[in-house]
Amino acid sequence: MIDVAIAGAGPNGLMLACELALAGIRPLVLERFTEPSTEQRANGLVGQVVRMLDRRGLYERLAGPGATPEPVSGYVFGAFPLDLSDLPDNPLYTLMVPQRRIERMLAERAAELGIEIRRDHEVIGLTQDEKSVTVELRGREPVEAAFLVGADGGRSAVRKLTGIGFPGVTADDSVSRTGQVSVDPGMVGADGGLVVPGFGTVPPFQHLRTERGLIAWAPFPDRDPVITTMEWDQPAEGEASLDELRASASRVLGADVPLAPPTGPGPHVMRRLFGGNTRIAEHYRAGRVLLLGDAAHVHSAIGGPGLNLGLQDAVNLGWKLAAELRGHAPEGLLDTYESERAPAARRVAMHTQAQSLLVQPGGQVTALRELFGELLAQPASRQHIADLMSGADITYDMGPATGPLVGRWAPDLPGLREATRAGRPLLLDPTGTLDAGPWAPYVDTVTVPELDTALLLRPDCYVAWQGTTPDGLHDALGTWIRTA
């Protein structure tokens, strides 16, 4: 019997598989498509997940040898430029690489860890009992696993087959158009902005709102630039085309935008999307079936929070599911996956809905934007937004443990980058004298003289205990780890 079957070989499913393998669990990834998707989806990573990948030794595989994450000095929120340069604690990190590269890197890492990925394996049914889940596959023999994780997207077959509700809202009054294009080099300014005669400059990698709609210009250095527009009450039919995208950009800006076909290697992006959904699963778990990533939550892509949310789900679930299978999970540990990650999804749903409202046309929205702009002039407001966008505002309940860092994601600390690569609990000890007692086989203890306080970190890098004396350490260890 397989330990864990994972439906979906996208970034979230592959990340979970890697986390499980680090913990000694044997996952099997089932993917309905025969080949990895070449469709351009997310354009990069935003938020805590950038540093999380670094802590697993994966950041350099995407950013280049020797690269380390650095916070960005500016970003965008609801088509407002977000100046982060004066924040005392800037948590917003980005890594601009296409999703297909992220998937390829994670698939390579999975292969290194001995993880099997079976393509052309579509889940069409499932049954479960107290000990296992039997997964029915189209044209294939069934697979029996101790657990099944649905990482199969917003239209998740696993979620539907399990009967988990997916309540939320659907907005159907907008249409967004995205395409790769080329432009005359003279239209690109020194800062990479798109200079449009009769309008001005569309800044690079930002949303620009006008009274007629929204536009974004993304001049990627290694591929054709991308233009995205969003309009309201603009019907469209037939196949998406460059002419349609060009006309939409001209309407939004009130000036002609001479866009030409892309010149670089394909496949090229050209798509049209109507409206959008914001939905969160009623439950993340039903018996031995769990949901991950878009199978558990969908929302607007504005601000790029999707992979941050989904990959952090995977890191949270991986060690808990492994502990359950290895017999090291205290009662109720696996249920904390939902109690911790569902609130994170609600935060993302909230701020993406707020941003989607702020970018709409109309006088009332303009008045709201004027007030919001005044708030963003305050550093405290920008810190709040940066924490929200990065996920740094998420705090988990760690039981009786106390301390300013308890329940929060661990900041960058001496020695942490290397110590977290194994995906094990960590005891960072400044004195070298702390004793983990019967939990010692399950915890890596690292002496870090530079620290002024000891820290116990869960495998997902959240602080479970903090102290200058051993008081409470064993209680915290017992909260999260059951000894054999």
Side-chain angles (χ1 to χ4, degrees):
M1 182 171 67
I2 300 297
D3 289 334
V4 181
I6 301 170
N12 299 321
L14 292 172
M15 187 70 182
L16 175 63
C18 292
E19 290 292 295
L20 289 167
L22 285 177
I25 297 303
R26 184 168 60 101
L28 171 65
V29 180
L30 305 169
E31 171 55 56
R32 69 187 181 99
F33 292 113
T34 57
E35 297 292 338
S37 174
T38 58
E39 180 183 353
Q40 179 57 37
R41 296 175 183 172
N43 290 313
L45 300 167
V46 179
Q48 274 182 323
V49 71
V50 176
R51 286 188 286 172
M52 191 69 237
L53 288 181
D54 187 51
R55 292 179 182 181
R56 291 294 190 258
L58 302 175
Y59 178 83
E60 289 183 72
R61 298 184 181 214
L62 295 170
T68 56
E70 296 290 341
V72 291
S73 60
Y75 200 61
V76 63
F77 182 88
F80 283 95
L82 195 62
D83 181 12
L84 308 174
S85 61
D86 61 344
L87 298 188
D89 181 17
N90 181 0
L92 202 58
Y93 290 69
T94 66
L95 179 59
M96 294 296 103
V97 293
Q99 180 170 324
R100 59 178 177 266
R101 265 188 64 197
I102 299 169
E103 287 186 16
R104 186 167 63 246
M105 180 275 292
L106 289 172
E108 291 169 355
R109 177 57 173 156
E112 293 169 5
L113 294 169
I115 296 165
E116 183 181 1
I117 301 173
R118 295 182 187 173
R119 295 193 170 274
D120 194 20
H121 280 60
E122 181 182 359
V123 176
I124 59 171
L126 64 90
T127 56
Q128 62 172 312
D129 56 30
E130 293 181 356
K131 295 183 178 181
S132 67
V133 183
T134 300
V135 185
E136 299 176 28
L137 302 163
R138 188 179 304 280
R140 308 282 185 177
E141 291 296 317
V143 168
E144 185 181 13
F147 287 93
L148 169 66
V149 179
D152 49 346
R155 295 182 174 88
S156 170
V158 171
R159 185 188 65 240
K160 294 173 183 177
L161 290 166
T162 310
I164 296 175
F166 205 38
V169 296
T170 297
D172 57 5
D173 59 344
S174 67
V175 55
S176 65
R177 301 170 173 91
T178 298
Q180 284 180 287
V181 300
S182 63
V183 298
D184 186 295
M187 293 181 63
V188 181
D191 65 348
L194 181 65
V195 181
V196 179
F199 173 80
T201 299
V202 178
F205 301 107
Q206 293 187 22
H207 292 114
L208 175 67
R209 180 232 183 215
T210 75
E211 286 293 346
R212 297 168 293 277
L214 186 77
I215 191 167
W217 161 251
F220 295 105
D222 57 349
R223 58 190 190 276
D224 288 302
V226 174
I227 283 258
T228 296
T229 66
M230 181 174 286
E231 296 179 275
W232 284 259
D233 301 319
Q234 280 285 344
E237 58 185 22
E239 188 173 345
S241 68
L242 178 62
D243 287 341
E244 178 189 357
L245 179 61
R246 185 188 300 116
S248 177
S250 298
R251 286 193 298 268
V252 171
L253 295 180
D256 183 51
V257 186
L259 304 177
T263 59
H268 297 121
V269 177
M270 183 60 66
R271 65 173 177 260
R272 180 202 305 128
L273 298 174
F274 292 97
N277 289 296
T278 300
R279 299 183 180 278
I280 299 174
E282 287 182 335
H283 302 288
Y284 281 27
R285 179 188 180 190
R288 291 185 169 271
V289 180
L290 298 107
L291 303 178
L292 175 68
D294 289 355
H297 41 67
V298 294
H299 50 78
S300 168
I302 191 166
L307 284 176
N308 187 39
L309 182 61
L311 292 173
Q312 292 279 40
D313 286 350
V315 175
N316 185 287
L317 176 59
W319 70 274
K320 295 174 180 177
L321 194 50
E324 184 76 20
L325 286 160
R326 295 171 68 88
H328 301 155
E331 184 177 356
L333 177 67
L334 195 52
D335 290 328
T336 66
Y337 167 58
E338 178 178 338
S339 65
E340 291 182 348
R341 295 309 297 166
R346 289 193 287 271
R347 296 288 288 169
V348 170
M350 176 271 289
H351 77 69
T352 53
Q353 285 182 300
Q355 291 185 77
S356 297
L357 177 61
L358 283 168
V359 301
Q360 293 186 23
Q364 288 181 312
V365 175
T366 299
L368 177 62
R369 289 180 63 84
E370 183 177 352
L371 173 60
F372 201 84
E374 292 177 5
L375 295 175
L376 288 183
Q378 306 299 319
S381 297
R382 283 181 276 117
Q383 180 74 62
H384 184 87
I385 295 294
D387 290 343
L388 175 66
M389 293 282 285
S390 67
D393 64 332
I394 297 297
T395 302
Y396 297 150
D397 180 5
M398 295 294 173
T402 60
L405 292 178
V406 170
R408 304 193 66 84
W409 201 66
D412 291 333
L413 299 166
L416 189 60
R417 187 168 182 250
E418 292 73 24
T420 52
R421 295 196 173 183
R424 284 170 52 84
L426 280 178
L427 179 58
L428 304 180
D429 179 7
T431 66
T433 62
L434 290 176
D435 179 12
W439 292 273
Y442 311 103
V443 180
D444 290 343
T445 300
V446 182
T447 301
V448 188
E450 298 91 335
L451 296 181
D452 57 8
T453 181
L455 298 172
L456 174 65
L457 272 57
R458 306 187 321 185
D460 57 359
C461 291
Y462 276 80
V463 179
W465 172 84
Q466 176 178 357
T468 55
T469 68
D471 294 347
L473 172 59
H474 286 191
D475 288 340
L477 286 164
T479 299
W480 300 103
I481 305 170
R482 186 175 73 187
T483 59

